[in-house]
Amino acid sequence: MPDSTSVNTMFARIARHYDLANRLLSGGADGWWRRRLVAAVLDAHPRTILDLATGSGDVAFALARRLPPEVEIIGMDFCRPMLEEAEAKKRRAGGYANVSFRPGDGLGLPLGDASVDAVTIAFGLRNMADRPRALREMRRVLRRPHGRIFVLEFSQPSRCFRPLYYLYLRRLLPRLAGIITGDRAAYEYLGQTIGEFPDRAGLCAELCANGFSGVKAAGMTFGIVSLHTAAV
Ligand SMILES: C[S@@+](CC[C@H](N)C(=O)[O-])C[C@H]1O[C@@H](n2cnc3c(N)ncnc32)[C@H](O)[C@@H]1O
């Protein structure tokens, strides 16, 4: 698993170009993946949501657009430059009074036990230096018995699509990303962490091993991304 300091500095380096790179490198699919996450959260009717590893805040904003304005949404991340991007987007858009951004480490959340109804984490779990500890922290802050976790993350695609996908991820994507962000190494890291991340069944097992129940998983876009949901 990656170490926290290098993850933090790497995201600080790419923060300014992060959104543009996401749009271009995913061919716009990242917006659709986040909308699927938001649709799943809507069904749970939460009053307070923690969007962990919020980055530039896209999930927090997407949640705010679909949920009633009295729902409190906390976007949390340990990388200051990413949070600054999120704050700048909030200022430019105006509104989003129910969305706040706070610094915080997923390995030791600055939140009380049983203090939120839902935790969302999009493309963040893969970057946590200690995944079991991060999952236990998310479970700790969820209210019982209705608390839910929603994990949107890269996964292992279907076998027939895998060779083409890894060719794109390991050869083409770092070059393109190097041009867009000026930081090819950050996107070589992306390919490496995706290759090392568990497949859908593996992540289901990790969620169960760390205390979650009722785990469900759905694949998207040939299985390159998955949405896992689970209860406390
Ligand atoms: C790939 S970005 C995802 C951002 C956003 N959720 C999205 O959907 O675009 C991963 C984020 O995880 C954050 N992160 C990684 N490890 C973290 C930790 N231990 N605590 C808090 N944030 C962390 C990084 O700073 C980065 O902003």
Side-chain angles (χ1 to χ4, degrees):
M1 285 184 213
D3 86 276
S4 282
T5 310
S6 42
V7 169
N8 198 327
T9 23
M10 190 201 71
F11 280 105
R13 283 200 321 262
I14 63 169
R16 278 192 54 229
H17 304 288
Y18 177 77
D19 285 347
L20 177 66
N22 272 352
R23 292 311 92 81
L24 296 179
L25 298 172
S26 72
D30 65 311
W32 182 68
W33 298 330
R34 289 193 191 82
R35 283 197 292 281
R36 285 278 304 267
L37 165 71
V38 171
V41 176
L42 285 178
D43 290 340
H45 306 291
R47 311 288 299 172
T48 314
I49 305 172
L50 168 66
D51 180 41
L52 182 57
T54 194
S56 60
D58 275 357
V59 169
F61 295 127
L63 285 165
R65 284 194 292 272
R66 296 289 310 279
L67 286 156
E70 59 273 15
V71 174
E72 185 191 0
I73 301 163
I74 305 161
M76 188 169 283
D77 203 287
F78 74 171
C79 177
R80 296 269 177 180
M82 288 295 259
L83 286 181
E84 282 161 18
E85 287 299 313
E87 290 285 9
K89 276 157 75 172
K90 182 176 161 176
R91 275 195 304 277
R92 282 197 300 272
Y96 291 121
N98 56 333
V99 179
S100 62
F101 292 105
R102 297 191 208 164
D105 189 337
L107 304 186
L109 290 169
L111 295 174
D113 294 355
S115 52
V116 301
D117 303 307
V119 175
T120 55
I121 180 163
F123 309 110
L125 188 59
R126 187 175 30 87
N127 294 293
M128 296 280 159
D130 184 339
R131 214 160 48 232
R133 185 167 155 189
L135 289 173
R136 288 194 301 272
E137 269 298 271
M138 289 184 251
R139 188 168 178 271
R140 177 183 68 77
V141 301
L142 280 168
R143 293 192 177 112
R144 287 158 178 67
H146 60 278
R148 294 279 183 285
I149 184 176
F150 301 84
V151 183
L152 184 67
E153 191 49 272
F154 288 107
S155 192
Q156 302 306 325
S158 48
R159 286 205 178 276
C160 55
F161 186 59
R162 216 170 278 187
L164 187 65
Y165 175 62
Y166 276 105
L167 189 70
Y168 170 70
L169 207 61
R170 294 195 170 130
R171 297 287 163 92
L172 192 57
L173 183 136
R175 282 184 206 175
L176 294 174
I179 296 165
I180 300 165
T181 65
D183 198 328
R184 184 173 168 158
Y187 289 84
E188 282 166 350
Y189 160 87
L190 177 74
Q192 186 196 328
T193 55
I194 292 175
E196 289 165 358
F197 199 72
D199 62 10
R200 280 208 294 278
L203 186 54
C204 286
E206 278 193 23
L207 284 158
C208 291
N210 289 286
F212 288 97
S213 60
V215 182
K216 290 186 189 136
M220 290 175 247
T221 320
F222 304 107
I224 66 174
V225 166
S226 66
L227 175 63
H228 285 70
T229 60
V232 283

